[in-house]
Amino acid sequence: MKIKRLFLKIFLLIVLLFAGANVATAGNADVSLKLGNGLTIADKDSSMSFNFGIMLQGRVDVLKTFEKASKPITTAQARRIRLKFKGYFLNQKLNYFVQLSLSPTDVKVGNVFLDGYIKYSPVKQFAIQFGQTKLPGDREEIAIDEKQFFVDRSTTNGLFRLERDFGIQLFGNFGKKFIFKPTISIASGEGKNYTAADIQHLDYTVRFDFLPTGEFTDRGDYTMQDLVREPKPKVAFGIAYDFNNKSALQKAQNGGNFIPDSARANLHTLYTDVLLKYKGLTTTAGYIYRKADNNKLYLSGQSLYVSASYLFKKKIEIGARVNRSFSGKIGNIPTVNEYTMGLAYYVYKNAFKLETDYTILQNTTTHTLSGLWRFQMQFAF
């Protein structure tokens, strides 16, 4: 019932926005509606703007273990249903962003809040942000869901991503030809929608991005395909370190078993990644290493991936990804090798696309082999 009431409120809000569009246009505001960019209302004196957008992902998964007695497991779901509200107020240097999720496979039922923050950018070289959002871990995670090439992110990200948290982030942007972008974050360490943070258990993250060939087009260093077909090679390197002081959960902000206060230990996570784009070619690679002061209680180990894809001029992209996860000397995860082939058709960029991939999963710890086929349709208004 709560979700139904929320849908009704959102529907009424959209109706009011469209009903007021003529009044806004006749007064002192501009109104625009565009696929992929949503509905935007902006004051002509640049003192305020409001943008509303919707992102939908419908997915079908078929998982089959390669054994005679095994039967395929099919899942059909609304993988993500996102509502986004963003804009600026007072002036264009003060921005806000709110994101809600209505899919039970995306968030827990009744807990729809994903992101909500205010960001102030007094100058081009510096910005400060306060609220709940993704932490600056690996590139795959920071890149938003609708700008991925494969149906979903790699297992590397699934195991050790930082997820969302509430706190403060500082951003830097220095240089013109060789660009350096540092990010510093101090967060609660408990993950999204946690209501009682303890100052003794905070999470600290620092990330450095290096762009030796200059800026990408349309912030393409966080888009996992080359839709703009960069005319010159563009390269980005990233390295990040996260320290979670006595994490309360087995997977830190990513959830898992609750750890009693007397048994909690520190978590250390290292992220490295690289991205190359050139004339439709996109190559990415990432590596994550996590250890804990008590590796028996927390999920720890190592994981890496390498991927490459090519976008043809007729809106079709093909690609492949190799993913390996293993415990090493200090970890406790199984050793799994994954081999993925992907195909995407962009009806209209990332706003409307069809994508599919097939993955062979080889678990050398349990000596099992399985295949996973996924199909997804994405629409972003």
Side-chain angles (χ1 to χ4, degrees), residues 249-273:
L249 298 173
Q250 180 189 29
K251 301 178 184 178
Q253 290 92 338
N254 205 17
N257 298 329
F258 180 79
I259 308 297
D261 189 68
S262 60
R264 293 177 187 174
N266 298 327
L267 273 178
H268 309 265
T269 312
L270 176 68
Y271 301 89
T272 61
D273 53 66

Tab-separated table of all heavy atoms in Angstrom, residues 249-273:
chain	number	residue	atom	x	y	z
A	249	LEU	N	29.273	-4.280	9.555
A	249	LEU	CA	28.706	-5.315	8.695
A	249	LEU	C	29.804	-6.094	7.984
A	249	LEU	O	30.891	-5.573	7.717
A	249	LEU	CB	27.762	-4.680	7.669
A	249	LEU	CG	26.535	-3.953	8.245
A	249	LEU	CD1	25.788	-3.225	7.141
A	249	LEU	CD2	25.610	-4.935	8.960
A	250	GLN	N	29.492	-7.344	7.647
A	250	GLN	CA	30.458	-8.247	7.024
A	250	GLN	C	31.012	-7.709	5.715
A	250	GLN	O	32.183	-7.891	5.389
A	250	GLN	CB	29.782	-9.601	6.784
A	250	GLN	CG	30.673	-10.641	6.142
A	250	GLN	CD	29.905	-11.878	5.719
A	250	GLN	OE1	28.721	-11.785	5.407
A	250	GLN	NE2	30.559	-13.024	5.717
A	251	LYS	N	30.166	-7.004	4.929
A	251	LYS	CA	30.589	-6.435	3.652
A	251	LYS	C	30.632	-4.913	3.709
A	251	LYS	O	30.488	-4.246	2.694
A	251	LYS	CB	29.635	-6.877	2.546
A	251	LYS	CG	29.531	-8.380	2.367
A	251	LYS	CD	28.524	-8.719	1.266
A	251	LYS	CE	28.320	-10.210	1.126
A	251	LYS	NZ	27.303	-10.526	0.077
A	252	ALA	N	30.795	-4.377	4.904
A	252	ALA	CA	30.817	-2.923	5.111
A	252	ALA	C	29.504	-2.307	4.616
A	252	ALA	O	28.434	-2.831	4.896
A	252	ALA	CB	32.034	-2.305	4.437
A	253	GLN	N	29.576	-1.226	3.831
A	253	GLN	CA	28.345	-0.567	3.364
A	253	GLN	C	27.507	-1.451	2.457
A	253	GLN	O	26.335	-1.173	2.212
A	253	GLN	CB	28.699	0.726	2.621
A	253	GLN	CG	29.242	1.835	3.494
A	253	GLN	CD	30.757	1.808	3.585
A	253	GLN	OE1	31.393	0.779	3.359
A	253	GLN	NE2	31.347	2.934	3.924
A	254	ASN	N	28.084	-2.522	1.966
A	254	ASN	CA	27.397	-3.416	1.037
A	254	ASN	C	26.559	-4.477	1.747
A	254	ASN	O	25.969	-5.336	1.099
A	254	ASN	CB	28.419	-4.079	0.110
A	254	ASN	CG	27.819	-4.515	-1.201
A	254	ASN	OD1	26.737	-4.082	-1.588
A	254	ASN	ND2	28.502	-5.412	-1.893
A	255	GLY	N	26.504	-4.436	3.080
A	255	GLY	CA	25.634	-5.349	3.818
A	255	GLY	C	26.348	-6.556	4.397
A	255	GLY	O	27.528	-6.518	4.725
A	256	GLY	N	25.607	-7.655	4.519
A	256	GLY	CA	26.160	-8.867	5.101
A	256	GLY	C	25.800	-9.012	6.564
A	256	GLY	O	24.969	-8.276	7.113
A	257	ASN	N	26.408	-9.982	7.233
A	257	ASN	CA	26.113	-10.280	8.634
A	257	ASN	C	26.515	-9.127	9.553
A	257	ASN	O	27.506	-8.435	9.310
A	257	ASN	CB	26.838	-11.558	9.076
A	257	ASN	CG	26.383	-12.775	8.281
A	257	ASN	OD1	25.225	-12.844	7.850
A	257	ASN	ND2	27.275	-13.729	8.083
A	258	PHE	N	25.733	-8.944	10.611
A	258	PHE	CA	26.043	-7.918	11.609
A	258	PHE	C	27.166	-8.409	12.524
A	258	PHE	O	27.162	-9.546	12.985
A	258	PHE	CB	24.794	-7.595	12.429
A	258	PHE	CG	25.016	-6.539	13.476
A	258	PHE	CD1	25.051	-5.199	13.128
A	258	PHE	CD2	25.201	-6.902	14.808
A	258	PHE	CE1	25.256	-4.217	14.098
A	258	PHE	CE2	25.405	-5.935	15.772
A	258	PHE	CZ	25.438	-4.588	15.424
A	259	ILE	N	28.142	-7.536	12.798
A	259	ILE	CA	29.279	-7.877	13.649
A	259	ILE	C	29.102	-7.188	15.004
A	259	ILE	O	28.937	-5.970	15.057
A	259	ILE	CB	30.608	-7.420	13.008
A	259	ILE	CG1	30.729	-7.939	11.571
A	259	ILE	CG2	31.790	-7.873	13.858
A	259	ILE	CD1	30.782	-9.426	11.432
A	260	PRO	N	29.114	-7.950	16.105
A	260	PRO	CA	29.007	-7.319	17.431
A	260	PRO	C	30.129	-6.311	17.655
A	260	PRO	O	31.242	-6.478	17.147
A	260	PRO	CB	29.135	-8.516	18.395
A	260	PRO	CG	28.773	-9.708	17.573
A	260	PRO	CD	29.218	-9.409	16.182
A	261	ASP	N	29.831	-5.286	18.425
A	261	ASP	CA	30.783	-4.190	18.611
A	261	ASP	C	32.121	-4.681	19.160
A	261	ASP	O	33.185	-4.184	18.768
A	261	ASP	CB	30.174	-3.138	19.538
A	261	ASP	CG	31.019	-1.879	19.584
A	261	ASP	OD1	31.083	-1.171	18.564
A	261	ASP	OD2	31.648	-1.617	20.636
A	262	SER	N	32.085	-5.655	20.065
A	262	SER	CA	33.326	-6.133	20.692
A	262	SER	C	34.230	-6.894	19.731
A	262	SER	O	35.428	-7.058	19.989
A	262	SER	CB	32.982	-7.033	21.883
A	262	SER	OG	32.206	-8.152	21.450
A	263	ALA	N	33.661	-7.377	18.604
A	263	ALA	CA	34.440	-8.177	17.654
A	263	ALA	C	34.802	-7.412	16.381
A	263	ALA	O	35.463	-7.966	15.501
A	263	ALA	CB	33.655	-9.440	17.285
A	264	ARG	N	34.374	-6.188	16.254
A	264	ARG	CA	34.596	-5.444	15.013
A	264	ARG	C	36.069	-5.140	14.766
A	264	ARG	O	36.845	-4.939	15.708
A	264	ARG	CB	33.798	-4.138	15.040
A	264	ARG	CG	32.300	-4.355	15.009
A	264	ARG	CD	31.542	-3.049	15.113
A	264	ARG	NE	30.111	-3.307	15.237
A	264	ARG	CZ	29.198	-2.367	15.452
A	264	ARG	NH1	29.570	-1.096	15.558
A	264	ARG	NH2	27.928	-2.690	15.547
A	265	ALA	N	36.420	-5.120	13.471
A	265	ALA	CA	37.800	-4.844	13.083
A	265	ALA	C	37.806	-3.878	11.896
A	265	ALA	O	36.768	-3.592	11.296
A	265	ALA	CB	38.509	-6.143	12.698
A	266	ASN	N	38.972	-3.383	11.573
A	266	ASN	CA	39.108	-2.422	10.487
A	266	ASN	C	39.140	-3.119	9.130
A	266	ASN	O	39.707	-4.213	8.998
A	266	ASN	CB	40.380	-1.595	10.663
A	266	ASN	CG	40.364	-0.775	11.941
A	266	ASN	OD1	39.306	-0.325	12.379
A	266	ASN	ND2	41.522	-0.594	12.550
A	267	LEU	N	38.548	-2.468	8.126
A	267	LEU	CA	38.565	-2.962	6.753
A	267	LEU	C	39.406	-2.038	5.893
A	267	LEU	O	39.271	-0.810	5.968
A	267	LEU	CB	37.146	-3.023	6.180
A	267	LEU	CG	36.310	-4.285	6.411
A	267	LEU	CD1	34.934	-4.099	5.796
A	267	LEU	CD2	36.989	-5.492	5.787
A	268	HIS	N	40.230	-2.632	5.030
A	268	HIS	CA	41.081	-1.864	4.116
A	268	HIS	C	40.795	-2.334	2.693
A	268	HIS	O	40.858	-3.535	2.402
A	268	HIS	CB	42.564	-2.081	4.423
A	268	HIS	CG	42.919	-1.876	5.868
A	268	HIS	ND1	43.389	-0.684	6.357
A	268	HIS	CD2	42.866	-2.731	6.933
A	268	HIS	CE1	43.617	-0.793	7.657
A	268	HIS	NE2	43.306	-2.041	8.029
A	269	THR	N	40.483	-1.405	1.797
A	269	THR	CA	40.176	-1.767	0.413
A	269	THR	C	40.944	-0.867	-0.539
A	269	THR	O	40.920	0.360	-0.405
A	269	THR	CB	38.674	-1.645	0.113
A	269	THR	OG1	37.920	-2.276	1.136
A	269	THR	CG2	38.337	-2.290	-1.229
A	270	LEU	N	41.608	-1.498	-1.514
A	270	LEU	CA	42.370	-0.772	-2.529
A	270	LEU	C	41.720	-0.980	-3.892
A	270	LEU	O	41.385	-2.112	-4.260
A	270	LEU	CB	43.815	-1.281	-2.572
A	270	LEU	CG	44.716	-0.670	-3.651
A	270	LEU	CD1	44.983	0.807	-3.370
A	270	LEU	CD2	46.033	-1.444	-3.755
A	271	TYR	N	41.540	0.110	-4.636
A	271	TYR	CA	40.930	0.070	-5.967
A	271	TYR	C	41.898	0.652	-6.989
A	271	TYR	O	42.489	1.706	-6.754
A	271	TYR	CB	39.640	0.894	-6.015
A	271	TYR	CG	38.574	0.459	-5.059
A	271	TYR	CD1	38.523	0.976	-3.764
A	271	TYR	CD2	37.594	-0.454	-5.440
A	271	TYR	CE1	37.531	0.593	-2.881
A	271	TYR	CE2	36.607	-0.846	-4.556
A	271	TYR	CZ	36.579	-0.321	-3.277
A	271	TYR	OH	35.603	-0.712	-2.408
A	272	THR	N	42.036	-0.015	-8.128
A	272	THR	CA	42.768	0.545	-9.261
A	272	THR	C	41.978	0.243	-10.531
A	272	THR	O	41.357	-0.818	-10.646
A	272	THR	CB	44.188	-0.045	-9.396
A	272	THR	OG1	44.095	-1.465	-9.602
A	272	THR	CG2	45.020	0.228	-8.152
A	273	ASP	N	41.992	1.176	-11.482
A	273	ASP	CA	41.269	0.954	-12.730
A	273	ASP	C	41.850	1.812	-13.839
A	273	ASP	O	42.562	2.785	-13.597
A	273	ASP	CB	39.777	1.255	-12.558
A	273	ASP	CG	39.512	2.638	-11.985
A	273	ASP	OD1	39.805	3.635	-12.661
A	273	ASP	OD2	39.011	2.725	-10.843
